[in-house]
Amino acid sequence: MRFVHAFAAAAACAVLLPSAMDAQDQEKARAVAGGGISVPGWTGKIDANEEKAGQVLDNAKLSGDPKSLSVTTGPAVAYWNPANKAAGDYTVKATFTEAKYMNLNDHPHPYGLFIAGNDMGTADQSYLYCAAYGSGNFIVRGFGPAPFQMNGRRGEANAAVHKAAGPGEPVTQEIAMTVKGDRVECSINGTVVGGYDKAALVTAGKLKSTDGIYGIRFGHNTEATVTGLAMTKN
């Protein structure tokens, strides 16, 4: 009898857990006061599902300057300068600082870099991004133009990803994306956390090429600064 009760309880948890996780996914994006883009030369585009929900680009905020970008979201968004392009073998890197972990949300949200941007700003845009959470997890995903995942729906934990001491505490992540030969890798805080064959990325439904625009990518309801965004040839 105890076994039956335990099994029933476990089954109930199995049903409830995905529902709770889905509820997090469905959390509505807030509208940022004074939103918009004030960094010269930069532009952006929110996710298609955010647009369908009635969100607009001005509901997120990009300010500062190219050396120190401040982002507050709002809807999930990619920001870029069309002049920032990379081709062949290269590395794009930047440092992300979440001054107050989970300041605008009640669960971790990601932020990171994107590369291989093509048709940016259109419904057909494609790119690959690697993003970190202040909880110690990371995700590698993209748009082609439909969303695709490279390390699962929830990403994965890695000891290299810094963890905030708690809500409201600071956490910093150094993120780099490298294209070299037939491989694409994401490094966080100096450690390669994910690597993929180029053939698995440049294919139908994913990327058009690993050449393209690079920039930054933020989940919804998130706040951080970005410094040292740069590209170097390998």
Side-chain angles (χ1 to χ4, degrees):
M1 192 68 173
R2 289 179 181 175
F3 175 79
V4 172
H5 288 164
F7 179 82
C13 288
V15 171
L16 290 172
L17 181 58
S19 297
M21 295 169 78
D22 289 342
Q24 288 186 356
D25 287 344
Q26 294 168 8
E27 174 193 76
K28 292 183 179 180
R30 61 197 288 274
V32 178
I37 299 173
S38 59
V39 183
W42 281 68
T43 187
K45 184 170 174 41
I46 64 174
D47 288 2
N49 65 319
E50 302 278 25
E51 293 175 339
K52 290 177 181 177
Q55 294 287 340
V56 295
L57 183 59
D58 282 352
N59 284 353
K61 183 178 181 179
L62 175 67
S63 60
D65 60 65
K67 292 183 179 180
S68 181
L69 300 163
S70 295
V71 177
T72 306
T73 62
V77 61
Y79 290 117
W80 68 92
N81 184 326
N84 289 343
K85 297 180 180 180
D89 291 350
Y90 61 86
T91 296
V92 175
K93 64 179 181 178
T95 298
F96 295 77
T97 302
E98 194 175 5
K100 295 181 179 181
Y101 174 57
M102 289 173 36
N103 187 41
L104 303 180
N105 47 65
D106 60 7
H107 59 279
H109 287 190
Y111 38 82
L113 296 172
F114 79 80
I115 62 171
N118 284 280
D119 300 316
M120 296 303 293
T122 76
D124 295 321
Q125 70 180 21
S126 58
Y127 62 84
L128 179 74
Y129 69 94
C130 179
Y133 295 79
S135 60
N137 280 34
F138 77 98
I139 54 173
V140 181
R141 296 181 179 174
F143 292 89
F148 64 89
Q149 303 162 357
M150 297 306 297
N151 70 333
R153 182 170 178 233
R154 295 290 168 184
E156 57 192 293
N158 190 288
V161 184
H162 292 160
K163 293 183 179 181
E169 296 298 318
V171 61
T172 297
Q173 317 284 0
E174 295 180 358
I175 302 177
M177 298 187 74
T178 298
V179 178
K180 190 171 184 179
D182 294 327
R183 294 284 288 176
V184 178
E185 295 180 339
C186 174
S187 300
I188 299 180
N189 301 317
T191 297
V192 175
V193 295
Y196 310 92
D197 290 337
K198 191 181 290 187
L201 294 168
V202 183
T203 187
K206 294 182 180 177
L207 303 180
K208 291 186 175 180
S209 172
T210 54
D211 296 348
I213 292 171
Y214 63 88
I216 57 176
R217 157 85 192 185
F218 275 69
H220 64 283
N221 299 344
T222 306
E223 187 172 43
T225 58
V226 186
T227 56
L229 177 64
M231 185 276 293
T232 56
K233 296 290 291 182
N234 294 332

Coordinates of all heavy atoms in Angstrom, one line a residue, residues 90-151:
Y90 N 37.4 32.9 -36.2 CA 37.4 34.1 -35.4 C 36.9 33.8 -34.0 O 36.3 32.7 -33.7 CB 36.5 35.2 -36.0 CG 35.0 34.7 -36.1 CD1 34.1 34.9 -35.1 CD2 34.5 34.2 -37.3 CE1 32.8 34.5 -35.2 CE2 33.2 33.8 -37.5 CZ 32.3 33.9 -36.4 OH 31.0 33.5 -36.5
T91 N 37.1 34.7 -33.0 CA 36.6 34.6 -31.7 C 35.9 35.9 -31.3 O 36.4 37.0 -31.5 CB 37.7 34.3 -30.7 OG1 38.2 33.0 -30.9 CG2 37.1 34.3 -29.2
V92 N 34.7 35.8 -30.8 CA 33.9 37.0 -30.3 C 33.8 36.8 -28.8 O 33.5 35.7 -28.3 CB 32.5 37.1 -30.9 CG1 31.8 38.2 -30.2 CG2 32.6 37.3 -32.4
K93 N 34.1 37.8 -28.0 CA 34.1 37.7 -26.6 C 33.5 39.0 -25.9 O 33.5 40.1 -26.5 CB 35.5 37.4 -26.0 CG 36.5 38.5 -26.2 CD 37.8 38.2 -25.6 CE 38.8 39.3 -25.8 NZ 40.1 39.0 -25.1
A94 N 33.0 38.8 -24.7 CA 32.5 40.0 -23.9 C 32.4 39.5 -22.5 O 32.3 38.3 -22.2 CB 31.2 40.5 -24.5
T95 N 32.3 40.5 -21.6 CA 32.1 40.2 -20.2 C 30.7 40.8 -19.8 O 30.4 41.9 -20.1 CB 33.2 40.9 -19.3 OG1 34.4 40.4 -19.6 CG2 32.9 40.7 -17.8
F96 N 29.9 39.9 -19.1 CA 28.6 40.3 -18.7 C 28.5 40.3 -17.2 O 28.9 39.4 -16.5 CB 27.6 39.2 -19.2 CG 27.5 39.1 -20.7 CD1 28.4 38.5 -21.5 CD2 26.4 39.7 -21.4 CE1 28.4 38.5 -22.8 CE2 26.3 39.6 -22.7 CZ 27.3 39.0 -23.5
T97 N 28.0 41.4 -16.7 CA 27.9 41.6 -15.2 C 26.5 41.9 -14.8 O 25.9 42.9 -15.2 CB 28.8 42.8 -14.8 OG1 30.2 42.6 -15.1 CG2 28.7 43.0 -13.2
E98 N 25.9 40.9 -14.1 CA 24.6 41.1 -13.5 C 24.8 41.6 -12.1 O 25.1 40.9 -11.2 CB 23.9 39.7 -13.5 CG 22.4 39.8 -13.2 CD 21.7 38.4 -13.3 OE1 22.4 37.4 -13.5 OE2 20.5 38.4 -13.2
A99 N 24.7 43.0 -11.9 CA 25.0 43.6 -10.7 C 24.1 43.1 -9.5 O 24.6 43.0 -8.4 CB 24.8 45.1 -10.8
K100 N 22.8 42.8 -9.9 CA 21.9 42.3 -8.8 C 21.2 41.1 -9.4 O 20.2 41.2 -10.2 CB 20.9 43.4 -8.4 CG 21.5 44.6 -7.7 CD 20.5 45.6 -7.3 CE 21.1 46.7 -6.6 NZ 20.1 47.7 -6.2
Y101 N 21.7 39.9 -9.1 CA 21.2 38.7 -9.7 C 19.7 38.6 -9.4 O 19.2 38.8 -8.3 CB 21.9 37.5 -9.0 CG 21.4 36.1 -9.3 CD1 21.3 35.6 -10.6 CD2 21.1 35.3 -8.2 CE1 20.9 34.4 -10.8 CE2 20.7 34.0 -8.5 CZ 20.6 33.5 -9.8 OH 20.2 32.2 -10.0
M102 N 19.0 38.2 -10.5 CA 17.5 38.1 -10.4 C 16.8 39.3 -10.0 O 15.7 39.3 -9.3 CB 17.1 36.9 -9.5 CG 17.4 35.6 -10.2 SD 17.2 34.1 -9.1 CE 15.8 34.5 -8.1
N103 N 17.4 40.5 -10.3 CA 16.8 41.8 -9.8 C 15.4 42.0 -10.4 O 14.5 42.6 -9.8 CB 17.7 42.9 -10.3 CG 17.3 44.3 -9.7 OD1 16.8 44.3 -8.6 ND2 17.3 45.3 -10.5
L104 N 15.1 41.5 -11.6 CA 13.8 41.8 -12.3 C 13.0 40.5 -12.4 O 12.0 40.5 -13.2 CB 14.1 42.4 -13.7 CG 14.9 43.7 -13.7 CD1 15.1 44.2 -15.1 CD2 14.2 44.8 -12.8
N105 N 13.4 39.4 -11.8 CA 12.6 38.2 -11.9 C 12.8 37.3 -10.7 O 13.6 37.6 -9.8 CB 13.2 37.4 -13.2 CG 14.7 37.4 -13.2 OD1 15.3 36.8 -12.3 ND2 15.3 38.1 -14.2
D106 N 12.0 36.2 -10.7 CA 12.0 35.3 -9.5 C 12.7 34.0 -9.8 O 12.6 33.1 -9.0 CB 10.6 35.1 -8.9 CG 9.7 34.5 -9.9 OD1 10.1 34.1 -11.0 OD2 8.5 34.4 -9.6
H107 N 13.3 33.9 -11.0 CA 14.1 32.8 -11.4 C 15.2 33.2 -12.4 O 15.1 34.2 -13.0 CB 13.2 31.6 -11.9 CG 12.5 32.0 -13.1 ND1 11.3 32.7 -13.1 CD2 12.7 31.8 -14.5 CE1 10.8 32.9 -14.3 NE2 11.7 32.4 -15.1
P108 N 16.3 32.4 -12.5 CA 17.4 32.9 -13.4 C 17.0 33.0 -14.8 O 16.2 32.2 -15.4 CB 18.4 31.7 -13.2 CG 18.0 31.0 -11.9 CD 16.5 31.1 -11.8
H109 N 17.5 34.1 -15.4 CA 17.3 34.3 -16.9 C 18.7 34.5 -17.5 O 19.6 35.0 -16.9 CB 16.5 35.6 -17.1 CG 15.0 35.4 -16.8 ND1 14.1 36.3 -17.1 CD2 14.4 34.4 -16.2 CE1 12.9 35.9 -16.7 NE2 13.0 34.8 -16.1
P110 N 18.8 34.1 -18.8 CA 20.2 34.1 -19.4 C 20.5 35.4 -20.2 O 19.7 36.2 -20.6 CB 20.0 32.9 -20.4 CG 18.6 33.0 -20.8 CD 17.8 33.5 -19.6
Y111 N 21.8 35.5 -20.5 CA 22.4 36.6 -21.3 C 23.7 36.1 -21.9 O 24.4 35.3 -21.2 CB 22.6 37.9 -20.4 CG 23.1 37.6 -19.1 CD1 24.5 37.4 -18.8 CD2 22.2 37.5 -18.0 CE1 24.9 37.1 -17.5 CE2 22.7 37.2 -16.7 CZ 24.0 37.0 -16.5 OH 24.5 36.7 -15.2
G112 N 24.0 36.6 -23.1 CA 25.2 36.1 -23.7 C 25.5 36.7 -25.1 O 24.9 37.8 -25.4
L113 N 26.3 36.0 -25.9 CA 26.7 36.4 -27.2 C 26.0 35.7 -28.3 O 25.5 34.6 -28.1 CB 28.2 36.2 -27.4 CG 29.2 36.9 -26.5 CD1 30.6 36.2 -26.8 CD2 29.2 38.4 -26.8
F114 N 25.8 36.3 -29.5 CA 25.4 35.6 -30.6 C 26.4 35.9 -31.8 O 27.1 36.9 -31.8 CB 24.0 35.9 -31.1 CG 23.8 37.2 -31.8 CD1 24.1 37.3 -33.2 CD2 23.3 38.3 -31.2 CE1 23.9 38.5 -33.9 CE2 23.1 39.5 -31.9 CZ 23.4 39.6 -33.2
I115 N 26.6 34.9 -32.7 CA 27.4 35.0 -33.8 C 26.6 34.5 -35.0 O 25.5 34.0 -34.9 CB 28.7 34.2 -33.7 CG1 28.4 32.7 -33.5 CG2 29.6 34.7 -32.6 CD1 29.6 31.8 -33.6
A116 N 27.2 34.6 -36.2 CA 26.6 34.0 -37.5 C 25.3 34.6 -37.8 O 24.4 33.9 -38.4 CB 26.5 32.5 -37.3
G117 N 25.1 35.9 -37.5 CA 23.8 36.5 -37.8 C 23.7 36.9 -39.3 O 24.5 37.5 -39.9
N118 N 22.6 36.4 -39.8 CA 22.2 36.7 -41.2 C 20.8 37.1 -41.3 O 19.9 36.6 -40.6 CB 22.5 35.4 -42.1 CG 24.0 35.3 -42.4 OD1 24.6 35.9 -43.3 ND2 24.6 34.4 -41.7
D119 N 20.5 38.0 -42.3 CA 19.1 38.5 -42.5 C 18.6 39.1 -41.2 O 17.4 39.1 -40.9 CB 18.1 37.4 -42.9 CG 18.5 36.8 -44.2 OD1 18.9 37.5 -45.2 OD2 18.5 35.6 -44.4
M120 N 19.5 39.7 -40.4 CA 19.2 40.3 -39.1 C 18.1 41.4 -39.2 O 18.2 42.2 -40.2 CB 20.4 40.8 -38.4 CG 21.4 39.7 -38.0 SD 20.7 38.4 -37.0 CE 20.4 39.2 -35.5
G121 N 17.2 41.4 -38.3 CA 16.1 42.4 -38.3 C 14.9 42.0 -39.2 O 14.0 42.8 -39.2
T122 N 15.0 40.8 -39.8 CA 13.9 40.4 -40.6 C 13.2 39.1 -40.0 O 13.8 38.6 -39.0 CB 14.3 40.0 -42.0 OG1 15.0 38.7 -42.0 CG2 15.2 41.1 -42.6
A123 N 12.1 38.7 -40.5 CA 11.5 37.5 -40.0 C 12.3 36.2 -40.3 O 12.0 35.2 -39.7 CB 10.1 37.4 -40.6
D124 N 13.3 36.3 -41.2 CA 14.1 35.2 -41.6 C 15.5 35.2 -40.9 O 16.4 34.4 -41.3 CB 14.3 35.2 -43.1 CG 13.0 34.9 -43.8 OD1 12.2 34.1 -43.3 OD2 12.8 35.5 -44.9
Q125 N 15.7 36.0 -39.9 CA 17.0 36.1 -39.3 C 17.4 34.8 -38.7 O 16.6 34.0 -38.2 CB 17.1 37.2 -38.3 CG 16.3 37.0 -37.0 CD 16.4 38.2 -36.0 OE1 16.8 39.3 -36.4 NE2 16.2 37.9 -34.8
S126 N 18.7 34.6 -38.8 CA 19.3 33.3 -38.2 C 20.6 33.7 -37.4 O 21.3 34.6 -37.9 CB 19.6 32.3 -39.3 OG 20.5 32.8 -40.3
Y127 N 20.8 33.1 -36.3 CA 22.0 33.3 -35.5 C 22.1 32.2 -34.5 O 21.2 31.5 -34.2 CB 22.1 34.6 -34.9 CG 21.0 35.0 -33.9 CD1 21.1 34.6 -32.6 CD2 19.9 35.8 -34.3 CE1 20.2 35.0 -31.6 CE2 18.9 36.1 -33.3 CZ 19.1 35.8 -32.0 OH 18.1 36.1 -31.1
L128 N 23.3 32.0 -33.9 CA 23.6 31.1 -32.9 C 24.1 31.8 -31.6 O 24.9 32.8 -31.7 CB 24.8 30.1 -33.3 CG 25.2 29.1 -32.3 CD1 24.1 28.0 -32.2 CD2 26.5 28.5 -32.7
Y129 N 23.6 31.5 -30.5 CA 24.0 32.2 -29.3 C 24.3 31.2 -28.1 O 23.9 30.1 -28.0 CB 22.9 33.2 -28.8 CG 21.6 32.6 -28.3 CD1 21.4 32.4 -26.9 CD2 20.5 32.4 -29.1 CE1 20.2 32.0 -26.4 CE2 19.3 32.0 -28.6 CZ 19.2 31.8 -27.2 OH 18.0 31.3 -26.7
C130 N 25.2 31.7 -27.3 CA 25.6 31.0 -26.0 C 25.4 32.0 -24.9 O 25.9 33.1 -24.9 CB 27.1 30.6 -26.1 SG 27.6 29.7 -24.6
A131 N 24.6 31.5 -23.9 CA 24.2 32.4 -22.8 C 24.4 31.7 -21.5 O 24.2 30.5 -21.4 CB 22.8 32.9 -23.0
A132 N 24.7 32.5 -20.5 CA 24.9 32.0 -19.1 C 23.8 32.5 -18.2 O 23.2 33.5 -18.4 CB 26.3 32.5 -18.6
Y133 N 23.6 31.7 -17.1 CA 22.7 32.0 -16.1 C 23.5 32.2 -14.8 O 24.5 31.5 -14.6 CB 21.7 30.9 -15.8 CG 20.7 30.5 -16.8 CD1 21.1 29.8 -17.9 CD2 19.4 30.9 -16.7 CE1 20.2 29.4 -18.9 CE2 18.4 30.6 -17.7 CZ 18.8 29.8 -18.8 OH 17.9 29.4 -19.7
G134 N 23.1 33.1 -13.9 CA 23.8 33.3 -12.7 C 23.6 32.2 -11.7 O 24.2 32.2 -10.6
S135 N 22.9 31.1 -12.1 CA 22.7 29.9 -11.3 C 23.8 28.9 -11.6 O 23.8 27.8 -11.0 CB 21.3 29.3 -11.6 OG 21.2 29.0 -13.0
G136 N 24.6 29.1 -12.6 CA 25.7 28.1 -13.0 C 25.3 27.3 -14.2 O 26.1 26.4 -14.6
N137 N 24.2 27.6 -14.9 CA 23.9 26.9 -16.1 C 24.2 27.7 -17.3 O 24.5 28.9 -17.2 CB 22.4 26.6 -16.1 CG 22.0 25.4 -15.3 OD1 22.6 25.1 -14.2 ND2 21.0 24.7 -15.7
F138 N 24.2 27.1 -18.5 CA 24.4 27.8 -19.8 C 23.5 27.1 -20.8 O 23.1 25.9 -20.7 CB 25.8 27.8 -20.2 CG 26.3 26.5 -20.8 CD1 26.4 26.3 -22.2 CD2 26.7 25.5 -20.0 CE1 26.8 25.1 -22.7 CE2 27.2 24.3 -20.5 CZ 27.2 24.1 -21.9
I139 N 23.2 27.8 -21.9 CA 22.5 27.3 -23.0 C 23.1 27.7 -24.3 O 23.7 28.7 -24.4 CB 21.0 27.7 -23.0 CG1 20.9 29.3 -23.0 CG2 20.2 27.1 -21.9 CD1 19.5 29.8 -23.2
V140 N 23.0 26.8 -25.3 CA 23.5 27.1 -26.7 C 22.3 26.9 -27.5 O 21.8 25.8 -27.6 CB 24.7 26.3 -27.1 CG1 25.1 26.7 -28.5 CG2 25.8 26.4 -26.2
R141 N 21.8 27.9 -28.2 CA 20.6 27.9 -29.0 C 20.7 28.8 -30.2 O 21.7 29.5 -30.4 CB 19.3 28.3 -28.2 CG 19.0 27.4 -27.0 CD 17.8 28.0 -26.3 NE 17.4 27.1 -25.2 CZ 16.5 27.4 -24.3 NH1 15.8 28.5 -24.4 NH2 16.2 26.6 -23.3
G142 N 19.7 28.7 -31.1 CA 19.8 29.6 -32.3 C 18.4 29.7 -32.9 O 17.4 29.2 -32.4
F143 N 18.4 30.5 -34.0 CA 17.2 30.7 -34.8 C 17.6 30.4 -36.2 O 18.7 30.9 -36.7 CB 16.7 32.1 -34.6 CG 16.2 32.4 -33.2 CD1 17.0 32.9 -32.2 CD2 14.8 32.2 -33.0 CE1 16.5 33.1 -31.0 CE2 14.3 32.5 -31.7 CZ 15.2 32.9 -30.7
G144 N 16.7 29.8 -36.9 CA 17.1 29.5 -38.3 C 16.0 29.5 -39.4 O 16.1 28.7 -40.3
P145 N 14.9 30.3 -39.4 CA 14.6 31.3 -38.4 C 13.8 30.7 -37.2 O 13.7 31.4 -36.1 CB 13.7 32.3 -39.1 CG 13.0 31.5 -40.2 CD 14.1 30.5 -40.6
A146 N 13.3 29.5 -37.3 CA 12.6 28.9 -36.1 C 13.7 28.5 -35.1 O 14.8 28.3 -35.4 CB 11.9 27.6 -36.6
P147 N 13.3 28.6 -33.8 CA 14.3 28.3 -32.7 C 14.8 26.8 -32.8 O 14.1 25.9 -33.2 CB 13.4 28.5 -31.4 CG 12.3 29.3 -31.8 CD 12.0 28.9 -33.2
F148 N 16.1 26.7 -32.5 CA 16.6 25.3 -32.3 C 17.6 25.3 -31.1 O 18.1 26.3 -30.7 CB 17.4 24.9 -33.6 CG 18.6 25.7 -34.0 CD1 19.8 25.4 -33.5 CD2 18.5 26.8 -34.9 CE1 21.0 26.1 -33.8 CE2 19.6 27.5 -35.2 CZ 20.8 27.2 -34.7
Q149 N 17.8 24.1 -30.6 CA 18.5 23.9 -29.3 C 19.7 23.0 -29.6 O 19.6 22.0 -30.3 CB 17.6 23.3 -28.3 CG 16.4 24.1 -28.0 CD 15.3 23.3 -27.2 OE1 15.5 22.1 -27.0 NE2 14.2 23.9 -26.9
M150 N 20.9 23.4 -29.0 CA 22.1 22.5 -29.2 C 22.4 21.8 -27.9 O 23.2 20.8 -27.9 CB 23.2 23.4 -29.6 CG 23.0 24.1 -31.0 SD 22.6 22.9 -32.3 CE 24.1 21.9 -32.4
N151 N 21.9 22.2 -26.7 CA 22.2 21.4 -25.5 C 21.0 21.3 -24.6 O 21.0 21.4 -23.4 CB 23.4 22.1 -24.7 CG 23.1 23.4 -24.1 OD1 22.2 24.1 -24.6 ND2 23.8 23.7 -23.0

